[in-house]
Amino acid sequence: MAETAPKPRIRLDRKEVKAGETIEIKSLISHIMESGQRRDPQGNIIPRKIINKFTCELDGEMVFGADLEPAVSANPYFQFKIKPGKSGTLKFTWIDDDGSKIEATEQIKVT
Amino acid sequence: MTDAAASYNLLFKIELGENKNMNNAISRRQAFGLGAGVIVGLALPLRPTAALAKNDAEEAIKSFAGGKTPEKAKVKLELPEIAENGNTVPVTVSIESPMTKDSYVKDVLIIADGNPRAGVITFHFSPSAVPEANTRIRLAETQNVVAVAKMNDGSVYMASKEVKVTIGGCGG
Protein backbone atom coordinates (compact mmCIF):
# COMPACT_ATOMS: atom_id res chain seq x y z
CA MET A 1 0.00 0.00 0.00
CA ALA A 2 1.34 3.38 -0.98
CA GLU A 3 2.50 5.35 1.99
CA THR A 4 1.07 8.82 2.32
CA ALA A 5 1.80 11.29 5.07
CA PRO A 6 -0.77 10.93 7.86
CA LYS A 7 -3.25 13.75 7.69
CA PRO A 8 -4.87 14.84 10.94
CA ARG A 9 -8.36 16.29 11.13
CA ILE A 10 -9.92 17.94 14.16
CA ARG A 11 -13.45 19.20 14.54
CA LEU A 12 -14.77 21.06 17.58
CA ASP A 13 -18.51 21.54 17.94
CA ARG A 14 -17.76 25.08 19.14
CA LYS A 15 -14.69 27.10 20.03
CA GLU A 16 -16.19 29.48 22.54
CA VAL A 17 -17.91 28.30 25.71
CA LYS A 18 -18.92 29.58 29.11
CA ALA A 19 -17.09 28.16 32.12
CA GLY A 20 -18.49 24.71 32.96
CA GLU A 21 -19.73 24.02 29.46
CA THR A 22 -18.33 21.20 27.33
CA ILE A 23 -16.73 21.13 23.90
CA GLU A 24 -17.12 17.99 21.84
CA ILE A 25 -14.01 17.05 19.87
CA LYS A 26 -13.80 14.67 16.95
CA SER A 27 -10.35 13.67 15.78
CA LEU A 28 -9.32 11.56 12.83
CA ILE A 29 -5.96 10.79 11.31
CA SER A 30 -5.28 8.92 8.08
CA HIS A 31 -3.06 5.99 9.02
CA ILE A 32 -2.85 2.36 7.93
CA MET A 33 -2.50 0.97 11.51
CA GLU A 34 -0.60 -2.08 10.24
CA SER A 35 -1.21 -4.62 13.00
CA GLY A 36 1.95 -6.73 12.66
CA GLN A 37 -0.30 -9.81 12.43
CA ARG A 38 -0.70 -9.85 8.67
CA ARG A 39 1.51 -11.59 6.10
CA ASP A 40 2.41 -10.51 2.59
CA PRO A 41 1.86 -12.91 -0.36
CA GLN A 42 5.33 -14.42 0.25
CA GLY A 43 4.31 -15.34 3.78
CA ASN A 44 6.49 -12.79 5.55
CA ILE A 45 4.96 -10.90 8.45
CA ILE A 46 4.29 -7.29 7.53
CA PRO A 47 5.97 -5.28 10.30
CA ARG A 48 3.78 -3.44 12.74
CA LYS A 49 3.32 0.27 12.12
CA ILE A 50 0.65 1.99 14.15
CA ILE A 51 -0.12 5.25 15.87
CA ASN A 52 0.63 4.20 19.44
CA LYS A 53 -0.27 7.36 21.32
CA PHE A 54 -2.69 10.24 21.08
CA THR A 55 -2.84 13.22 23.42
CA CYS A 56 -4.91 16.36 23.76
CA GLU A 57 -3.35 19.12 25.88
CA LEU A 58 -4.61 22.54 26.88
CA ASP A 59 -1.64 24.92 27.21
CA GLY A 60 0.65 21.97 27.96
CA GLU A 61 -1.65 20.29 30.47
CA MET A 62 -2.94 16.81 29.67
CA VAL A 63 -6.72 16.78 29.17
CA PHE A 64 -7.38 13.55 27.32
CA GLY A 65 -5.19 10.87 25.81
CA ALA A 66 -5.00 7.29 24.66
CA ASP A 67 -2.47 4.48 24.25
CA LEU A 68 -3.34 2.54 21.13
CA GLU A 69 -2.76 -1.12 20.34
CA PRO A 70 -2.94 -2.75 16.89
CA ALA A 71 -6.62 -3.55 17.56
CA VAL A 72 -7.58 0.07 16.89
CA SER A 73 -9.03 0.42 13.38
CA ALA A 74 -7.17 2.05 10.50
CA ASN A 75 -7.54 5.84 10.43
CA PRO A 76 -7.90 6.12 14.22
CA TYR A 77 -10.93 8.14 15.23
CA PHE A 78 -11.71 9.57 18.64
CA GLN A 79 -14.73 11.40 19.89
CA PHE A 80 -14.52 12.91 23.36
CA LYS A 81 -15.61 15.93 25.35
CA ILE A 82 -13.68 18.38 27.45
CA LYS A 83 -14.74 20.89 30.06
CA PRO A 84 -12.03 23.55 29.72
CA GLY A 85 -11.37 25.76 32.74
CA LYS A 86 -9.65 28.47 30.73
CA SER A 87 -9.00 29.83 27.27
CA GLY A 88 -5.93 28.56 25.49
CA THR A 89 -4.43 26.40 22.79
CA LEU A 90 -5.51 22.82 22.40
CA LYS A 91 -2.66 20.76 21.05
CA PHE A 92 -3.34 17.34 19.57
CA THR A 93 -0.42 14.97 19.09
CA TRP A 94 -0.29 11.57 17.42
CA ILE A 95 2.86 9.46 17.82
CA ASP A 96 3.79 6.88 15.19
CA ASP A 97 5.73 3.65 15.85
CA ASP A 98 8.56 5.14 13.77
CA GLY A 99 8.85 7.95 16.31
CA SER A 100 7.39 10.68 14.13
CA LYS A 101 4.92 13.11 15.66
CA ILE A 102 1.93 14.62 13.94
CA GLU A 103 0.45 17.70 15.55
CA ALA A 104 -2.60 19.89 15.19
CA THR A 105 -3.76 22.88 17.23
CA GLU A 106 -7.00 24.74 17.88
CA GLN A 107 -7.66 27.92 19.85
CA ILE A 108 -10.52 27.86 22.35
CA LYS A 109 -12.04 30.63 24.38
CA VAL A 110 -13.74 30.29 27.76
CA THR A 111 -15.82 33.31 28.76
CA MET B 1 -12.49 -23.84 30.75
CA THR B 2 -14.79 -26.56 32.14
CA ASP B 3 -17.78 -24.29 31.51
CA ALA B 4 -16.73 -23.87 27.92
CA ALA B 5 -16.30 -27.59 27.45
CA ALA B 6 -19.66 -28.32 29.08
CA SER B 7 -21.54 -25.81 26.96
CA TYR B 8 -19.89 -27.13 23.85
CA ASN B 9 -20.79 -30.72 24.75
CA LEU B 10 -24.38 -29.70 25.38
CA LEU B 11 -24.63 -27.97 22.01
CA PHE B 12 -23.03 -30.97 20.38
CA LYS B 13 -25.63 -33.32 21.88
CA ILE B 14 -28.48 -31.06 20.80
CA GLU B 15 -27.17 -31.03 17.26
CA LEU B 16 -26.83 -34.80 17.16
CA GLY B 17 -30.21 -35.34 18.73
CA GLU B 18 -31.95 -33.21 16.13
CA ASN B 19 -30.15 -34.99 13.38
CA LYS B 20 -31.25 -38.45 14.56
CA ASN B 21 -34.89 -37.57 15.10
CA MET B 22 -35.28 -35.87 11.81
CA ASN B 23 -33.50 -38.49 9.74
CA ASN B 24 -36.22 -41.04 10.57
CA ALA B 25 -38.89 -38.97 8.95
CA ILE B 26 -37.33 -37.62 5.78
CA SER B 27 -36.09 -38.73 2.38
CA ARG B 28 -32.49 -39.26 1.46
CA ARG B 29 -32.24 -36.04 -0.50
CA GLN B 30 -33.60 -34.04 2.39
CA ALA B 31 -31.25 -35.85 4.70
CA PHE B 32 -28.34 -34.82 2.54
CA GLY B 33 -29.41 -31.19 2.72
CA LEU B 34 -29.91 -31.53 6.44
CA GLY B 35 -26.46 -33.09 6.77
CA ALA B 36 -24.95 -29.98 5.27
CA GLY B 37 -27.02 -27.89 7.62
CA VAL B 38 -25.80 -29.88 10.59
CA ILE B 39 -22.21 -29.37 9.55
CA VAL B 40 -22.82 -25.62 9.53
CA GLY B 41 -24.71 -26.00 12.79
CA LEU B 42 -21.79 -27.82 14.34
CA ALA B 43 -19.39 -25.16 13.20
CA LEU B 44 -21.46 -22.39 14.79
CA PRO B 45 -21.37 -23.62 18.39
CA LEU B 46 -17.58 -23.62 18.05
CA ARG B 47 -17.58 -19.85 17.92
CA PRO B 48 -18.53 -19.08 21.51
CA THR B 49 -16.01 -21.68 22.68
CA ALA B 50 -13.37 -20.05 20.54
CA ALA B 51 -14.24 -16.71 22.15
CA LEU B 52 -13.55 -18.26 25.54
CA ALA B 53 -10.12 -19.40 24.44
CA LYS B 54 -7.77 -17.32 26.49
CA ASN B 55 -5.45 -14.72 25.17
CA ASP B 56 -3.73 -12.46 27.67
CA ALA B 57 -7.04 -10.79 28.68
CA GLU B 58 -7.00 -11.90 32.31
CA GLU B 59 -3.40 -10.91 32.89
CA ALA B 60 -3.97 -7.56 31.19
CA ILE B 61 -6.95 -6.79 33.45
CA LYS B 62 -5.08 -7.97 36.53
CA SER B 63 -2.02 -5.83 35.91
CA PHE B 64 -4.18 -2.82 35.02
CA ALA B 65 -6.34 -3.20 38.14
CA GLY B 66 -3.27 -3.47 40.36
CA GLY B 67 -4.39 -6.66 42.08
CA LYS B 68 -7.94 -5.49 42.79
CA THR B 69 -11.02 -7.23 41.49
CA PRO B 70 -13.00 -4.78 39.36
CA GLU B 71 -16.56 -4.22 40.54
CA LYS B 72 -19.26 -4.49 37.88
CA ALA B 73 -20.59 -0.94 38.21
CA LYS B 74 -20.24 2.64 37.04
CA VAL B 75 -18.97 1.70 33.58
CA LYS B 76 -21.20 1.71 30.53
CA LEU B 77 -20.03 0.04 27.35
CA GLU B 78 -21.86 0.62 24.09
CA LEU B 79 -21.19 -1.67 21.16
CA PRO B 80 -23.33 -3.11 18.38
CA GLU B 81 -24.89 -6.52 19.14
CA ILE B 82 -23.76 -7.70 15.73
CA ALA B 83 -20.78 -6.22 13.94
CA GLU B 84 -20.88 -7.00 10.24
CA ASN B 85 -17.37 -5.77 9.67
CA GLY B 86 -14.87 -6.62 12.38
CA ASN B 87 -12.40 -4.16 10.89
CA THR B 88 -14.20 -1.18 12.30
CA VAL B 89 -16.52 -1.63 15.25
CA PRO B 90 -17.66 1.55 17.02
CA VAL B 91 -17.27 1.47 20.79
CA THR B 92 -18.33 4.06 23.34
CA VAL B 93 -17.35 3.86 26.97
CA SER B 94 -18.71 6.15 29.67
CA ILE B 95 -18.07 6.16 33.38
CA GLU B 96 -20.04 7.61 36.28
CA SER B 97 -17.79 10.12 37.97
CA PRO B 98 -18.05 13.69 39.25
CA MET B 99 -14.74 14.54 37.48
CA THR B 100 -13.44 16.90 40.14
CA LYS B 101 -9.83 17.29 41.29
CA ASP B 102 -10.60 14.95 44.21
CA SER B 103 -12.58 12.31 42.37
CA TYR B 104 -12.12 11.49 38.71
CA VAL B 105 -11.57 8.65 36.26
CA LYS B 106 -7.91 8.24 35.47
CA ASP B 107 -7.56 5.40 32.99
CA VAL B 108 -9.92 3.16 31.07
CA LEU B 109 -8.65 -0.04 29.50
CA ILE B 110 -10.53 -1.75 26.68
CA ILE B 111 -9.91 -5.47 26.28
CA ALA B 112 -11.03 -7.89 23.56
CA ASP B 113 -10.80 -11.47 24.83
CA GLY B 114 -10.88 -13.16 21.42
CA ASN B 115 -8.33 -11.10 19.51
CA PRO B 116 -4.77 -12.33 18.99
CA ARG B 117 -3.81 -9.84 21.68
CA ALA B 118 -6.21 -8.67 24.37
CA GLY B 119 -5.25 -5.00 24.66
CA VAL B 120 -7.17 -2.63 22.40
CA ILE B 121 -6.74 0.83 23.83
CA THR B 122 -6.23 2.69 27.10
CA PHE B 123 -7.91 6.07 27.50
CA HIS B 124 -6.50 8.66 29.90
CA PHE B 125 -8.81 11.22 31.42
CA SER B 126 -8.24 14.34 33.49
CA PRO B 127 -10.66 16.33 35.67
CA SER B 128 -11.23 18.69 32.73
CA ALA B 129 -12.45 15.89 30.47
CA VAL B 130 -15.92 14.36 30.34
CA PRO B 131 -15.66 10.64 31.31
CA GLU B 132 -16.77 9.37 27.94
CA ALA B 133 -14.94 8.39 24.76
CA ASN B 134 -15.73 6.83 21.44
CA THR B 135 -13.44 5.11 18.95
CA ARG B 136 -13.43 2.30 16.38
CA ILE B 137 -11.77 -1.02 16.99
CA ARG B 138 -10.90 -4.30 15.27
CA LEU B 139 -12.48 -7.56 16.41
CA ALA B 140 -11.15 -10.82 14.97
CA GLU B 141 -14.24 -12.89 15.81
CA THR B 142 -17.29 -13.11 18.06
CA GLN B 143 -16.07 -12.30 21.54
CA ASN B 144 -16.44 -10.28 24.72
CA VAL B 145 -15.28 -6.70 24.92
CA VAL B 146 -14.40 -5.54 28.43
CA ALA B 147 -13.89 -2.02 29.75
CA VAL B 148 -12.06 -1.54 33.05
CA ALA B 149 -11.97 1.92 34.63
CA LYS B 150 -9.48 3.01 37.25
CA MET B 151 -10.35 6.00 39.43
CA ASN B 152 -7.82 8.42 40.92
CA ASP B 153 -8.24 6.71 44.33
CA GLY B 154 -7.27 3.35 42.80
CA SER B 155 -10.74 1.76 42.83
CA VAL B 156 -11.60 -0.22 39.71
CA TYR B 157 -14.91 -0.85 37.94
CA MET B 158 -15.81 -2.76 34.82
CA ALA B 159 -18.41 -3.70 32.23
CA SER B 160 -18.41 -6.25 29.43
CA LYS B 161 -20.42 -6.95 26.34
CA GLU B 162 -20.49 -9.73 23.76
CA VAL B 163 -20.25 -8.72 20.13
CA LYS B 164 -21.10 -11.11 17.33
CA VAL B 165 -18.73 -10.55 14.44
CA THR B 166 -19.78 -11.56 10.93
CA ILE B 167 -16.49 -10.87 9.12
CA GLY B 168 -13.41 -10.82 11.30
CA GLY B 169 -11.13 -7.83 11.25
CA CYS B 170 -7.60 -9.06 11.60
CA GLY B 171 -6.01 -8.49 8.27
CA GLY B 172 -5.41 -11.18 5.66
Side-chain angles (χ1 to χ4, degrees):
Chain A
M1 187 172 283
E3 195 94 347
T4 51
K7 190 178 163 203
R9 285 196 199 105
I10 294 285
R11 187 179 292 168
L12 311 184
D13 68 341
R14 50 191 171 166
K15 294 182 182 180
E16 213 180 306
V17 289
K18 293 195 179 80
E21 287 183 334
T22 61
I23 298 177
E24 185 181 72
I25 300 170
K26 290 175 180 170
S27 81
L28 181 73
I29 187 161
S30 58
H31 196 283
I32 180 170
M33 293 295 279
E34 187 58 64
S35 68
Q37 302 276 349
R38 299 200 305 162
R39 286 171 190 276
D40 66 16
Q42 284 75 46
N44 306 312
I45 286 181
I46 306 171
R48 175 183 132 152
K49 188 185 191 312
I50 67 167
I51 295 282
N52 60 49
K53 201 171 182 60
F54 169 74
T55 56
C56 165
E57 294 163 308
L58 177 58
D59 286 346
E61 207 173 298
M62 220 291 280
V63 179
F64 175 85
D67 294 328
L68 289 69
E69 300 283 342
V72 174
S73 302
N75 306 326
Y77 168 83
F78 298 113
Q79 187 182 327
F80 57 98
K81 290 176 192 156
I82 62 166
K83 206 183 269 186
K86 56 175 185 184
S87 306
T89 308
L90 281 176
K91 187 167 106 181
F92 304 91
T93 311
W94 292 262
I95 298 175
D96 193 300
D97 271 348
D98 67 12
S100 61
K101 270 187 192 178
I102 304 110
E103 291 177 350
T105 54
E106 291 280 350
Q107 299 295 326
I108 56 162
K109 208 168 159 187
V110 178
T111 54
Chain B
M1 214 50 207
T2 45
D3 273 355
S7 70
Y8 175 67
N9 274 339
L10 184 66
L11 286 161
F12 192 73
K13 276 177 194 155
I14 291 166
E15 291 291 342
L16 287 182
E18 267 181 15
N19 189 14
K20 207 187 277 170
N21 292 341
M22 289 169 94
N23 263 340
N24 294 336
I26 52 180
S27 76
R28 228 188 214 178
R29 185 178 288 177
Q30 281 170 320
F32 182 74
L34 183 75
V38 167
I39 289 165
V40 173
L42 278 174
L44 282 174
L46 277 172
R47 286 177 142 191
T49 13
L52 287 168
K54 298 276 180 284
N55 54 14
D56 54 334
E58 253 174 50
E59 293 79 35
I61 293 172
K62 233 178 243 173
S63 72
F64 177 81
K68 291 185 182 160
T69 309
E71 195 184 324
K72 281 205 170 183
K74 293 196 181 187
V75 181
K76 198 174 148 206
L77 193 55
E78 285 168 70
L79 280 150
E81 297 267 322
I82 298 171
E84 282 184 14
N85 180 1
N87 266 314
T88 171
V89 184
V91 51
T92 304
V93 61
S94 49
I95 302 97
E96 272 174 46
S97 166
M99 296 310 269
T100 60
K101 285 257 184 300
D102 300 323
S103 171
Y104 64 96
V105 183
K106 243 181 122 183
D107 304 307
V108 178
L109 172 71
I110 309 268
I111 289 281
D113 75 356
N115 273 0
R117 287 177 56 207
V120 175
I121 191 164
T122 311
F123 292 116
H124 307 293
F125 294 94
S126 72
S128 29
V130 175
E132 184 186 314
N134 166 289
T135 188
R136 295 168 190 159
I137 65 172
R138 290 170 171 152
L139 296 176
E141 58 185 29
T142 296
Q143 59 183 289
N144 296 303
V145 176
V146 183
V148 192
K150 187 157 61 185
M151 308 299 177
N152 63 321
D153 65 0
S155 56
V156 278
Y157 300 91
M158 65 170 283
S160 74
K161 193 165 187 241
E162 195 199 30
V163 181
K164 291 189 168 54
V165 177
T166 316
I167 301 167
C170 263

PDB file of all heavy atoms in Angstrom, chain B residues 2 13 22 41 57 62 71 80 93 118 123 142 144 165 172:
ATOM      1  N   THR B   2     -13.837 -25.456  32.010  1.00  0.00           N
ATOM      2  CA  THR B   2     -14.788 -26.558  32.137  1.00  0.00           C
ATOM      3  C   THR B   2     -16.169 -26.102  31.662  1.00  0.00           C
ATOM      4  O   THR B   2     -16.874 -26.847  31.011  1.00  0.00           O
ATOM      5  CB  THR B   2     -14.890 -27.049  33.593  1.00  0.00           C
ATOM      6  OG1 THR B   2     -14.984 -25.909  34.407  1.00  0.00           O
ATOM      7  CG2 THR B   2     -13.696 -27.896  33.973  1.00  0.00           C
ATOM      8  N   LYS B  13     -24.580 -32.319  21.681  1.00  0.00           N
ATOM      9  CA  LYS B  13     -25.635 -33.318  21.877  1.00  0.00           C
ATOM     10  C   LYS B  13     -26.937 -32.860  21.233  1.00  0.00           C
ATOM     11  O   LYS B  13     -27.637 -33.641  20.600  1.00  0.00           O
ATOM     12  CB  LYS B  13     -25.856 -33.548  23.372  1.00  0.00           C
ATOM     13  CG  LYS B  13     -24.860 -34.549  23.939  1.00  0.00           C
ATOM     14  CD  LYS B  13     -25.062 -34.703  25.428  1.00  0.00           C
ATOM     15  CE  LYS B  13     -23.860 -35.415  26.046  1.00  0.00           C
ATOM     16  NZ  LYS B  13     -23.721 -35.082  27.450  1.00  0.00           N
ATOM     17  N   MET B  22     -34.750 -36.323  13.078  1.00  0.00           N
ATOM     18  CA  MET B  22     -35.279 -35.865  11.807  1.00  0.00           C
ATOM     19  C   MET B  22     -34.978 -36.850  10.696  1.00  0.00           C
ATOM     20  O   MET B  22     -35.748 -36.997   9.763  1.00  0.00           O
ATOM     21  CB  MET B  22     -34.728 -34.480  11.483  1.00  0.00           C
ATOM     22  CG  MET B  22     -35.335 -33.434  12.404  1.00  0.00           C
ATOM     23  SD  MET B  22     -34.472 -31.890  12.257  1.00  0.00           S
ATOM     24  CE  MET B  22     -35.503 -31.081  11.046  1.00  0.00           C
ATOM     25  N   GLY B  41     -24.235 -26.129  11.405  1.00  0.00           N
ATOM     26  CA  GLY B  41     -24.711 -26.003  12.785  1.00  0.00           C
ATOM     27  C   GLY B  41     -23.636 -26.381  13.792  1.00  0.00           C
ATOM     28  O   GLY B  41     -23.491 -25.753  14.824  1.00  0.00           O
ATOM     29  N   ALA B  57      -6.034 -11.705  28.126  1.00  0.00           N
ATOM     30  CA  ALA B  57      -7.039 -10.788  28.675  1.00  0.00           C
ATOM     31  C   ALA B  57      -6.987 -10.714  30.200  1.00  0.00           C
ATOM     32  O   ALA B  57      -6.953  -9.624  30.778  1.00  0.00           O
ATOM     33  CB  ALA B  57      -8.434 -11.210  28.219  1.00  0.00           C
ATOM     34  N   LYS B  62      -5.685  -7.880  35.209  1.00  0.00           N
ATOM     35  CA  LYS B  62      -5.076  -7.971  36.532  1.00  0.00           C
ATOM     36  C   LYS B  62      -4.000  -6.907  36.714  1.00  0.00           C
ATOM     37  O   LYS B  62      -3.968  -6.195  37.722  1.00  0.00           O
ATOM     38  CB  LYS B  62      -4.459  -9.368  36.714  1.00  0.00           C
ATOM     39  CG  LYS B  62      -4.949 -10.051  37.987  1.00  0.00           C
ATOM     40  CD  LYS B  62      -4.343 -11.439  38.092  1.00  0.00           C
ATOM     41  CE  LYS B  62      -5.442 -12.499  38.044  1.00  0.00           C
ATOM     42  NZ  LYS B  62      -4.894 -13.861  37.964  1.00  0.00           N
ATOM     43  N   GLU B  71     -15.150  -4.077  40.200  1.00  0.00           N
ATOM     44  CA  GLU B  71     -16.561  -4.219  40.536  1.00  0.00           C
ATOM     45  C   GLU B  71     -17.384  -3.915  39.286  1.00  0.00           C
ATOM     46  O   GLU B  71     -17.062  -2.983  38.532  1.00  0.00           O
ATOM     47  CB  GLU B  71     -16.890  -3.194  41.626  1.00  0.00           C
ATOM     48  CG  GLU B  71     -18.197  -3.449  42.324  1.00  0.00           C
ATOM     49  CD  GLU B  71     -18.501  -2.319  43.319  1.00  0.00           C
ATOM     50  OE1 GLU B  71     -17.534  -1.820  43.939  1.00  0.00           O
ATOM     51  OE2 GLU B  71     -19.671  -1.940  43.422  1.00  0.00           O
ATOM     52  N   PRO B  80     -22.225  -2.452  19.092  1.00  0.00           N
ATOM     53  CA  PRO B  80     -23.333  -3.110  18.381  1.00  0.00           C
ATOM     54  C   PRO B  80     -23.451  -4.571  18.823  1.00  0.00           C
ATOM     55  O   PRO B  80     -22.452  -5.185  19.175  1.00  0.00           O
ATOM     56  CB  PRO B  80     -22.921  -3.004  16.915  1.00  0.00           C
ATOM     57  CG  PRO B  80     -21.454  -2.787  16.929  1.00  0.00           C
ATOM     58  CD  PRO B  80     -21.116  -2.107  18.215  1.00  0.00           C
ATOM     59  N   VAL B  93     -17.415   4.198  25.562  1.00  0.00           N
ATOM     60  CA  VAL B  93     -17.347   3.855  26.970  1.00  0.00           C
ATOM     61  C   VAL B  93     -17.622   5.123  27.762  1.00  0.00           C
ATOM     62  O   VAL B  93     -17.153   6.205  27.417  1.00  0.00           O
ATOM     63  CB  VAL B  93     -15.987   3.212  27.323  1.00  0.00           C
ATOM     64  CG1 VAL B  93     -14.818   4.147  27.063  1.00  0.00           C
ATOM     65  CG2 VAL B  93     -15.974   2.741  28.755  1.00  0.00           C
ATOM     66  N   ALA B 118      -5.021  -9.170  23.668  1.00  0.00           N
ATOM     67  CA  ALA B 118      -6.206  -8.671  24.369  1.00  0.00           C
ATOM     68  C   ALA B 118      -6.316  -7.154  24.355  1.00  0.00           C
ATOM     69  O   ALA B 118      -7.393  -6.597  24.203  1.00  0.00           O
ATOM     70  CB  ALA B 118      -6.195  -9.176  25.809  1.00  0.00           C
ATOM     71  N   PHE B 123      -7.610   4.640  27.498  1.00  0.00           N
ATOM     72  CA  PHE B 123      -7.910   6.075  27.504  1.00  0.00           C
ATOM     73  C   PHE B 123      -7.403   6.688  28.801  1.00  0.00           C
ATOM     74  O   PHE B 123      -7.466   6.065  29.860  1.00  0.00           O
ATOM     75  CB  PHE B 123      -9.421   6.319  27.424  1.00  0.00           C
ATOM     76  CG  PHE B 123     -10.033   5.943  26.112  1.00  0.00           C
ATOM     77  CD1 PHE B 123     -10.971   4.925  26.034  1.00  0.00           C
ATOM     78  CD2 PHE B 123      -9.700   6.618  24.947  1.00  0.00           C
ATOM     79  CE1 PHE B 123     -11.551   4.569  24.818  1.00  0.00           C
ATOM     80  CE2 PHE B 123     -10.272   6.279  23.724  1.00  0.00           C
ATOM     81  CZ  PHE B 123     -11.193   5.258  23.664  1.00  0.00           C
ATOM     82  N   THR B 142     -16.310 -13.322  17.000  1.00  0.00           N
ATOM     83  CA  THR B 142     -17.288 -13.111  18.059  1.00  0.00           C
ATOM     84  C   THR B 142     -16.604 -13.263  19.414  1.00  0.00           C
ATOM     85  O   THR B 142     -15.899 -14.237  19.639  1.00  0.00           O
ATOM     86  CB  THR B 142     -18.432 -14.128  17.916  1.00  0.00           C
ATOM     87  OG1 THR B 142     -19.104 -13.858  16.679  1.00  0.00           O
ATOM     88  CG2 THR B 142     -19.420 -14.016  19.066  1.00  0.00           C
ATOM     89  N   ASN B 144     -16.043 -11.256  23.714  1.00  0.00           N
ATOM     90  CA  ASN B 144     -16.435 -10.275  24.720  1.00  0.00           C
ATOM     91  C   ASN B 144     -15.478  -9.093  24.692  1.00  0.00           C
ATOM     92  O   ASN B 144     -14.271  -9.265  24.606  1.00  0.00           O
ATOM     93  CB  ASN B 144     -16.396 -10.890  26.117  1.00  0.00           C
ATOM     94  CG  ASN B 144     -17.398 -12.006  26.255  1.00  0.00           C
ATOM     95  OD1 ASN B 144     -18.593 -11.804  26.032  1.00  0.00           O
ATOM     96  ND2 ASN B 144     -16.929 -13.184  26.585  1.00  0.00           N
ATOM     97  N   VAL B 165     -19.441 -11.101  15.589  1.00  0.00           N
ATOM     98  CA  VAL B 165     -18.729 -10.546  14.441  1.00  0.00           C
ATOM     99  C   VAL B 165     -18.972 -11.420  13.222  1.00  0.00           C
ATOM    100  O   VAL B 165     -18.758 -12.636  13.259  1.00  0.00           O
ATOM    101  CB  VAL B 165     -17.222 -10.443  14.744  1.00  0.00           C
ATOM    102  CG1 VAL B 165     -16.460  -9.927  13.537  1.00  0.00           C
ATOM    103  CG2 VAL B 165     -16.987  -9.545  15.947  1.00  0.00           C
ATOM    104  N   GLY B 172      -5.340 -10.050   6.595  1.00  0.00           N
ATOM    105  CA  GLY B 172      -5.407 -11.178   5.663  1.00  0.00           C
ATOM    106  C   GLY B 172      -6.257 -10.962   4.457  1.00  0.00           C
ATOM    107  O   GLY B 172      -7.354 -11.246   4.320  1.00  0.00           O
TER     108      GLY B 172
END
